[in-house]
Amino acid sequence: MARLSFTKMADQIPTEADAYEYLEKLRWPSGTPTCPHCGHKGANFIRPRNGDHTTRTTSRGAQTARRLWQCKGCRYQFSAMTGTIFHGSKISLRTWLFVLFEMCASKNGMAAREIERKYGVAPKTAWFMAHRIREAMKRDAPGSLIGTIVADETWVGGEPKYRHRRPGEVARRGSGTDKTPVVALIDAGTGEARSAVLPNVDSTTLRKAMLQADVDIDHSVLWTDEAAYYTHLGRRFLAHETVNHSEYEYVNDRGATTNLAEGYFAQFKRSLDGTHHHVSREHLPRYLTEFDFRYTTSAMSDERRMARLVGQAEGRRLSYKRVKG
Ligand SMILES: [Zn+2]
């Protein structure tokens, strides 16, 4: 995988004006800006009037490095930020790009506290930035998962509720703990992951999660372990292959395995423990979105992944109110 190191990226954007040019290249790789208002391809650059043509003065008299374009079709003025998750933010675009890069490229993601410390932004701002980026990570195309689908579930987060247990009793999964069940659905062909939080684990909730993830049940093959709740569900698929984990079987004799899902969960749990420490059930879906995005794009170069995220950022503005729910 081609790795764009953080240092290399930081070297490419020493100033705020460079950050705008960098974003333009990511958003409009052909070099032709697209009008966010009417969709027309082609715009004139509005040259700033200062000496070296890098900054302009806003209506409030402040200096800004914002690069402006005017649509050749409708005359609308816009920048590469218009209509993206960065739109209207008081955070510098350089900072946004650095945080975006780190959330895209680091395996474990980036905690809000880390953003706060590294970039000197307020805690609330850091938290909001991370969530805005996660919003852009939501899958943008509604296409189906079709082919070979690996499904597996796990329990994450929370602490066992000792008060409900007798001394010496071993912590169980599910009832008696405040852990949350999560299902991962992975397309073994494309490597795309779609995961979801479940209210509880049974064949009904699993089927619902598959429908919401647009799994094309009628035209796909399902690979799972031998858990009973997949038996009935498996009959709706073209075929259902199971792996017998209790017999230490990890690949069955027809080549089916749930290794992909186990790898997904191992990385997800490492990140929750190492980076985020504790994630409430309420926010868990957003972290899963982030993980699905990184997992699905893991074969891409860091630059392509960023370009994809910035592309998806269009029209994904998220108000603080909505995040807080
Ligand atoms: Zn236009």
Side-chain angles (χ1 to χ4, degrees), residues 97 151 160 181 184 200:
L97 289 177
N200 52 62

Side-chain angles (χ1 to χ4, degrees), residues 25-27 302-312:
K25 276 183 210 138
L26 285 180
R27 280 198 80 188
D302 291 335
E303 238 158 0
R304 254 197 77 205
R305 190 182 305 124
M306 254 183 99
R308 174 155 175 176
L309 188 52
V310 165
Q312 290 188 183

Side-chain angles (χ1 to χ4, degrees), residues 222-224 241-243 249-258:
L222 180 66
W223 288 1
T224 66
E241 290 288 342
T242 58
V243 183
E249 178 185 68
Y250 292 98
V251 181
N252 78 6
D253 48 16
R254 284 173 301 281
T257 173
T258 57

